[in-house]
Amino acid sequence: AGVFLQNNALADMLKEYVASKGEIHEIYDDTAVVEAYKSGTTEGLNEQDKYVLEQAKKVIDENITDGMSDYEKEKAIYDWQMAYTAYNDNSLAPIASGGQYSHLPYGVFKYHQAICVGHATTFKLLMDMLDIECQIIHSTEEGEHAWDLVKLDDEWYHCDVTFDGGTGEKPGYTYFNVPDSVKDDGSYPWNHEEIPAADGTKYCYLAENAGDLKDIYDIPEYVKTQMDEGSRRIAFTLKNAENYNEDVASYITSAFNDGMTELCQGTTMQIGDKTIYTIEAYQADDGMGGQLDPEILEKLQEIIDGLQ
């Protein structure tokens, strides 16, 4: 599975920025803050870390409740972080206000902005405070990118807040708890001898929440339903995937384009025993669907017309 189309530009910007600046960010050490949280004393913390601790405690108090499972806690933090921050594109250009801290939890809590390292370190800090085992993967071979590895029920999952794929406060969950089979696409390599294998699938959000469709003729209604609910990442499985290809996906999605939101076929993922197909935001070209079998086109058009 490749990096999603809307994330390719972001990945390229990151790589260009690192190449031009020759800069790799240090990974924030959250040990002192986590110890202060568990001990109840801030002795020895500098002012920035005191602020980070205070804000992190508020996040936990407001989002975590008794009886939550580790997965529920993780998702609550993930949802909070997506709603609270926006990727700091200014960090790829002249630094804006607070941008010098966007690789740190301090930048996330203070200025609501983060680059990938800030996202990863903030998420790990909150996982550590909640006693959920978490590691950071810091890939610098093909440009800098950082994300988290989370352990749930003795299995590891990749969790990449930066490349979530959502918009605004609505997460897309593109890389929320995905296995190596999805994340290891060559875009940002890591040392597999040092990082534990991520083989978990039970808590993969896209796999567990994908629509279970019969065949290509179920796709139009499902796409419309998801769009009406405000989804920008539509995931589904197909019991019969015969005839599903880029032309079919383009034909279906172009019927729902409104000039502002346009969709196209996204990445296909293999997660455990499920093949997950996705549809995502895209600027579509004119004339899509011209190579379809006439019988398929006619039947799809009848279904789409019936949804108008």
Side-chain angles (χ1 to χ4, degrees):
V3 174
F4 287 94
L5 292 175
Q6 72 180 50
N7 291 327
N8 278 340
L10 180 56
D12 290 343
M13 290 171 66
L14 283 165
K15 292 177 181 180
E16 290 175 6
Y17 174 74
V18 172
S20 65
K21 299 296 183 181
E23 179 180 2
I24 299 295
H25 297 88
E26 291 186 6
I27 298 298
Y28 174 77
D29 183 355
D30 66 11
T31 303
V33 173
V34 174
E35 289 181 352
Y37 174 71
K38 294 181 177 180
S39 69
T41 176
T42 60
E43 184 177 352
L45 293 185
N46 61 36
E47 291 305 310
Q48 281 192 14
D49 281 347
K50 287 180 181 178
Y51 181 84
V52 167
L53 174 60
E54 177 185 354
Q55 297 305 310
K57 287 169 64 176
K58 287 182 180 179
V59 171
I60 290 174
D61 290 344
E62 293 172 1
N63 293 276
I64 304 302
T65 59
D66 293 340
M68 277 185 166
S69 66
D70 283 350
Y71 169 71
E72 290 170 334
K73 293 175 183 177
E74 180 207 17
K75 185 176 180 297
I77 296 301
Y78 185 94
D79 289 346
W80 165 83
Q81 194 161 327
M82 280 300 302
Y84 190 79
T85 63
Y87 194 89
N88 181 18
D89 290 333
N90 289 327
S91 290
L92 307 178
I95 297 297
S97 176
Q100 67 268 38
Y101 302 113
S102 60
H103 65 293
L104 298 168
Y106 181 75
V108 172
F109 291 120
K110 182 75 172 180
Y111 299 103
H112 295 243
Q113 57 179 294
I115 59 171
C116 59
V117 178
H119 271 310
T121 53
T122 302
F123 192 79
K124 182 179 185 298
L125 167 66
L126 291 162
M127 292 299 100
D128 288 345
M129 292 171 70
L130 292 168
D131 289 320
I132 298 174
E133 195 169 350
C134 182
Q135 297 185 25
I136 290 176
I137 298 179
H138 190 202
S139 177
T140 58
E141 185 177 330
E142 298 291 337
E144 183 181 45
H145 186 48
W147 67 96
D148 298 279
L149 206 66
V150 179
K151 192 174 186 180
L152 300 168
D153 292 351
D154 295 323
E155 292 185 311
W156 289 95
Y157 298 82
H158 294 272
C159 181
D160 191 335
V161 181
T162 303
F163 286 161
D164 169 81
T167 57
E169 296 184 0
K170 188 175 180 62
Y173 300 108
T174 302
Y175 290 111
F176 178 58
N177 290 354
V178 297
D180 285 342
S181 61
V182 172
K183 196 68 175 124
D184 193 13
D185 59 13
S187 298
Y188 290 101
W190 68 88
N191 188 334
H192 288 261
E193 294 182 359
E194 296 180 356
I195 301 297
D199 298 325
T201 59
K202 177 181 178 181
Y203 296 111
C204 177
Y205 186 91
L206 280 188
E208 291 304 306
N209 291 275
D212 187 17
L213 309 185
K214 182 177 64 176
D215 55 30
I216 63 173
Y217 302 111
D218 282 347
I219 298 174
E221 183 175 359
Y222 186 68
V223 169
K224 184 178 187 304
T225 299
Q226 292 296 299
M227 289 183 66
D228 288 345
E229 293 178 359
S231 298
R232 295 293 297 274
R233 176 73 71 251
I234 301 170
F236 54 91
T237 62
L238 290 169
K239 290 184 174 66
N240 177 7
E242 184 180 3
N243 296 320
Y244 187 68
N245 54 41
E246 185 175 357
D247 289 327
V248 169
S250 297
Y251 183 81
I252 294 171
T253 56
S254 64
F256 299 101
N257 292 340
D258 58 9
M260 297 179 63
T261 301
E262 298 189 340
L263 305 175
C264 83
Q265 180 185 25
T267 302
T268 299
M269 307 178 187
Q270 191 64 41
I271 302 176
D273 60 357
K274 292 184 178 180
T275 301
I276 310 296
Y277 304 95
T278 64
I279 288 174
E280 61 188 282
Y282 180 64
Q283 291 296 320
D285 294 328
D286 293 334
M288 288 188 170
Q291 303 301 314
L292 289 182
D293 181 288
E295 292 184 4
I296 294 175
L297 186 150
E298 182 179 0
K299 188 171 181 179
L300 282 171
Q301 191 60 52
E302 289 177 359
I303 295 170
I304 291 168
D305 288 344
L307 297 172
Q308 303 304 317

